Amino acid sequence: RAEHKRAEEVKEKFEFIISRAVTEFPAFYKWVQNKISKEQFNPLPNGILYLKGGDLEEEFKDFKKRVVFHNLKDYFKEEFFETKKVVYLPM
């Protein structure tokens, strides 16, 4: 099941929280960190998938040991994806 709503409105727990960048990641993390289920059903551990562009080093410095960046330019040729990444933070 998927829901389209503001993070503050979510009352349940999910295996994954998927979002485009709506704010700096540390603020988003505070909104959703307790909304990730601890029960695992997938090969990929539960966590956050976040679409973000630009230089992300400073923004993700506190998550450096756990975060994984996937460059979308490796999958898509369009110029839009040149600086875009899917950021995965397992919980």
Side-chain angles (χ1 to χ4, degrees), residues 33-48:
Q33 67 181 339
N34 295 320
K35 299 171 192 229
I36 307 286
S37 173
K38 295 194 184 315
E39 292 183 49
Q40 300 287 327
F41 296 102
N42 305 289
L44 185 67
N46 297 355
I48 300 169

Side-chain angles (χ1 to χ4, degrees), residues 40-84:
Q40 300 287 327
F41 296 102
N42 305 289
L44 185 67
N46 297 355
I48 300 169
L49 294 162
Y50 202 63
L51 176 64
K52 186 82 176 179
D55 182 7
L56 305 179
E57 187 154 336
E58 180 66 24
E59 185 172 342
F60 286 89
K61 69 181 181 197
D62 294 338
F63 304 93
K64 218 173 201 173
K65 293 184 179 179
R66 298 185 303 159
V67 74
V68 178
F69 297 101
H70 297 279
N71 293 310
L72 291 180
K73 69 180 181 181
D74 296 341
Y75 303 95
F76 301 99
K77 302 294 181 210
E78 292 84 0
E79 187 176 328
F80 172 81
F81 296 105
E82 189 63 32
T83 65
K84 302 291 187 218

Side-chain angles (χ1 to χ4, degrees), residues 1-48:
R1 184 175 105 235
E3 292 192 23
H4 180 232
K5 59 173 59 174
R6 296 186 58 83
E8 307 89 289
E9 297 172 359
V10 174
K11 302 296 181 213
E12 299 172 73
K13 294 192 182 258
F14 296 90
E15 285 82 37
F16 296 95
I17 302 288
I18 302 169
S19 181
R20 64 180 178 82
V22 293
T23 188
E24 294 287 316
F25 188 79
F28 182 79
Y29 177 78
K30 287 178 185 176
W31 295 342
V32 301
Q33 67 181 339
N34 295 320
K35 299 171 192 229
I36 307 286
S37 173
K38 295 194 184 315
E39 292 183 49
Q40 300 287 327
F41 296 102
N42 305 289
L44 185 67
N46 297 355
I48 300 169

